[in-house]
């Protein structure tokens, strides 16, 4: 079971995991086990041996690691450069995988939270746009209503003028109202 960290894995931690992975023999790796000939090893898909054991069993058994194409016993490896890259990778794989899974969980939770916030903003934005559109329509309707009221008042005034003064057309008689 992985433990979700409240904060993301720091860049230095990620860089350390990346460095171990890049220094190790390229994968994928797989176990090759033949009990009939007492052989067990970790190898690549291309049959390059990553690690095997100098003898079958636990007494005086020594792992051997690939070093420059040769399998060297642990006691034969140059210790001044630190642990063999494959050995360091294997030794930290359990905690590295747990940290990376926790990081994935944390990122997924952050993504879900951000998505929910974005969705909430989208709904809010759609509501705001709808409200703004309604307000624009209302303002436009008020302006049109005011213009129409002015036009009606102007037309009434004109009708009143026409009603008060008879209109004489050149070829018609005066019209009384």
């Amino acid at each position: 079971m992985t433990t979700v960290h409240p904060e993301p894995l720091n860049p230095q931690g990620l860089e350390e995991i990346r460095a171990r992975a890049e220094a190790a023999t390229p994968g994928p790796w797989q176990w090759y086990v033949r009990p009939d000939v007492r052989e067990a090893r970790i190898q690549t898909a291309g049959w390059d041996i990553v690690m095997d054991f100098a003898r079958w069993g636990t007494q005086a058994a020594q792992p051997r690691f690939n070093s420059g194409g040769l399998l060297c016993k642990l006691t034969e490896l140059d210790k001044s450069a630190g642990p063999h890259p494959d050995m360091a990778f294997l030794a930290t794989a359990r905690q590295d995988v747990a940290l990376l899974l926790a990081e994935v969980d944390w990122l997924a939770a952050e993504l879900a939270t951000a998505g929910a916030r974005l969705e909430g903003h989208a709904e809010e934005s759609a509501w705001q746009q709808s409200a703004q559109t309604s307000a624009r329509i209302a303002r436009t309707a008020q302006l049109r209503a005011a213009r129409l009221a002015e036009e009606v008042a102007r037309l009434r005034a004109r009708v009143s003028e026409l009603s008060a003064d008879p209109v004489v057309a050149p070829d018609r008689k005066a019209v009384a109202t």
Side-chain angles (χ1 to χ4, degrees):
M1 186 168 125
T2 61
T3 304
V4 177
H5 297 282
E7 294 191 17
L9 191 58
N10 66 45
Q12 180 184 351
L14 282 173
E15 194 52 43
E16 289 169 1
I17 292 171
R18 180 176 286 109
R20 283 191 293 272
E22 288 174 357
T25 301
W29 292 3
Q30 59 195 19
W31 274 103
Y32 177 82
V33 179
R34 291 206 36 211
D36 57 326
V37 293
R38 296 183 173 197
E39 185 177 6
R41 65 180 179 235
I42 296 174
Q43 65 186 32
T44 67
W47 292 82
D48 291 327
I49 297 173
V50 176
M51 179 186 112
D52 76 351
F53 297 91
R55 67 178 291 230
W56 190 264
T58 57
Q59 291 187 354
Q62 245 189 97
R64 295 187 305 177
F65 289 91
N66 190 329
S67 181
L70 299 174
L71 289 172
C72 298
K73 292 179 182 176
L74 191 57
T75 55
E76 299 169 347
L77 292 173
D78 178 18
K79 293 178 185 54
S80 65
H84 187 277
D86 292 338
M87 191 160 72
F89 182 79
L90 288 168
T92 59
R94 179 67 185 99
Q95 55 270 29
D96 287 351
V97 168
L99 285 171
L100 292 170
L101 288 173
E103 181 74 0
V104 168
D105 291 343
W106 184 85
L107 289 170
E110 286 295 304
L111 183 60
T113 301
R117 268 190 261 137
L118 184 58
E119 187 176 303
H121 288 301
E123 289 174 10
E124 186 178 301
S125 177
W127 178 85
Q128 287 173 343
Q129 286 179 343
S130 177
Q132 289 170 352
T133 301
S134 296
R136 259 195 324 272
I137 291 170
R139 282 192 304 274
T140 302
Q142 287 173 341
L143 288 172
R144 285 184 181 167
R147 286 185 198 135
L148 286 173
E150 289 172 4
E151 184 67 16
V152 167
R154 189 186 64 75
L155 289 172
R156 282 189 179 152
R158 181 69 179 137
V159 167
S160 292
E161 287 174 17
L162 292 174
S163 298
D165 295 329
V167 177
V168 179
D171 57 344
R172 295 188 177 169
K173 298 180 187 173
V175 178
T177 54

